[in-house]
Amino acid sequence: MIRRHFGTLAIALALPLAFTAPAQAQSYPAKPIRMVVPFPPGGGTDILARLVAQKLTEANHWTVVPDNRGGAGGTIGIAEAARAAPTGYDIVMGQKDNMVVAPWLYKNLSYNPVKDLTAVAHVAYTPVVIVTQANSKFKTLDDVVKAARAAPDTVTYGSPGNGTTIHLAGEIFNSAAQIKMRHVPYKGSNAAMMDVLAGNVDLMVSSVPSALAQIKAGKLRPLAVTSAKRSTSLPETPTVAELGYKGFDVSTWYGLFVPAKTPKDVIATLNTEVNKLLATPEMKAAIIAQGAEPQSMTPEQFQSLLKTDYEKWKGIVQASGATIE
């Protein structure tokens, strides 16, 4: 009889525990979510991050708050996200720059992207575009190459910072064209944009989202995109490969990450809601309007992309000889 009572009591105690985890999962998020944006306001990463935050808030009545933590090619913001508690209330809009390029450039990064962060949802990818001021003497990419060969280290190009995919795109083009342009790093795309518009630097290597508004306004002239195929947003702009540099292909991706050990049910919830947004015509149009290409993935697919690119860019960075103290 005593055993029977104890057995009944054990079942009674176990039942609430069995239903606690799903109830907690359904309550997420129970408070505002901070979305770390590892670049200053105005650049491509900031634009996409704020778009996702706004749409998640509107669609689900969540509160998603962008928090710009720029500097050091995006690595400061990524490091802060990696240190956060793995609760799902700190997420970060990472990109190829700071997730798979920077670890091979910087000698003393405080995070390992593969070990310290977990992929949640891929949002978009974009080619890189080489632009110059509308009144610049450079009318074509060939003009740039000729000038750089005639006077090495005098043609300047700005980027959002050392260690970004965009910075490396310029260095890879230097190698492909056998020229020497001088890199001028900035703390984000907006600062670089102001200087190329003012004519203080000859060129800017930029994500398409960062440069698109100024291109459409006629203030910047796009010379080439660095992806394997032309950008949907800039269909008249040739690829670097089309201009004689076969096999040239540099693009970047954007997506959400959380600290490692964040509960899988939280990751699944975030992934589901982001992918729902990416499937809507409104969100697709909004991302394309910014110069990017929307693309959804499962967490597993995105984590696999992270690992593959992490190893791939090790070789690219080492071959370029670029390092950052």
Side-chain angles (χ1 to χ4, degrees), residues 48 52 93-96 118-126 251-257 270-279 283 287 292-303 305-306 309:
L48 285 175
V52 172
M93 180 64 81
Q95 62 190 110
K96 186 184 286 187
T118 299
V120 173
H122 186 277
V123 175
Y125 68 93
T126 176
S251 58
T252 193
W253 46 250
Y254 304 83
L256 296 177
F257 295 84
L270 287 166
N271 178 268
T272 297
E273 296 308 320
V274 171
N275 285 349
K276 282 181 183 178
L277 288 180
L278 295 178
M283 189 65 168
I287 291 175
E293 312 282 344
Q295 185 181 49
S296 62
M297 294 184 184
T298 65
E300 294 77 17
Q301 288 171 330
F302 194 20
Q303 188 73 20
L305 175 63
L306 170 65
D309 276 357

Side-chain angles (χ1 to χ4, degrees), residues 7-154:
T8 303
L9 179 60
I11 293 171
L13 290 172
L15 283 172
L17 292 174
F19 287 96
T20 299
Q24 290 175 342
Q26 290 171 3
S27 68
Y28 175 84
K31 61 181 182 179
I33 299 170
R34 180 178 72 138
M35 181 185 291
V36 177
V37 184
F39 285 96
T45 305
D46 179 68
I47 292 168
L48 285 175
R50 290 180 182 277
L51 179 61
V52 172
Q54 175 191 342
K55 296 301 182 183
L56 281 175
T57 298
E58 291 174 356
N60 301 299
H61 304 291
W62 295 357
T63 301
V64 183
V65 183
D67 184 14
N68 293 88
R69 299 284 175 169
T75 61
I76 290 175
I78 297 294
E80 181 168 332
R83 291 192 300 267
T87 59
Y89 290 99
D90 290 279
I91 61 179
V92 61
M93 180 64 81
Q95 62 190 110
K96 186 184 286 187
D97 295 356
N98 41 47
M99 295 297 292
V100 303
V101 178
W104 305 116
L105 279 170
Y106 289 83
K107 293 184 177 180
N108 298 303
L109 278 188
S110 63
Y111 64 90
N112 179 311
V114 175
K115 294 180 180 179
D116 298 333
L117 292 147
T118 299
V120 173
H122 186 277
V123 175
Y125 68 93
T126 176
V128 174
V129 61
I130 301 171
V131 296
T132 189
Q133 203 250 16
N135 296 324
S136 166
K137 64 182 179 181
F138 300 119
K139 308 302 181 185
T140 66
L141 192 62
D142 190 50
D143 290 342
V144 174
V145 172
K146 288 177 180 177
R149 285 179 179 165
D153 207 37
T154 59

Side-chain angles (χ1 to χ4, degrees), residues 193-254:
M193 187 71 66
M194 294 303 100
D195 261 11
V196 75
L197 287 169
N200 295 328
V201 289
D202 296 312
L203 309 167
M204 179 181 176
V205 184
S206 169
S207 68
V208 172
S210 295
L212 190 60
Q214 300 293 351
I215 292 172
K216 288 185 174 180
K219 295 181 179 180
L220 288 178
R221 178 187 300 120
L223 301 178
V225 293
T226 64
S227 50
K229 62 180 182 179
R230 295 191 181 197
S231 166
T232 302
S233 302
L234 298 171
E236 302 302 317
T237 303
T239 67
V240 172
E242 286 178 284
L243 296 175
Y245 304 92
K246 293 183 179 180
F248 199 98
D249 182 12
V250 180
S251 58
T252 193
W253 46 250
Y254 304 83

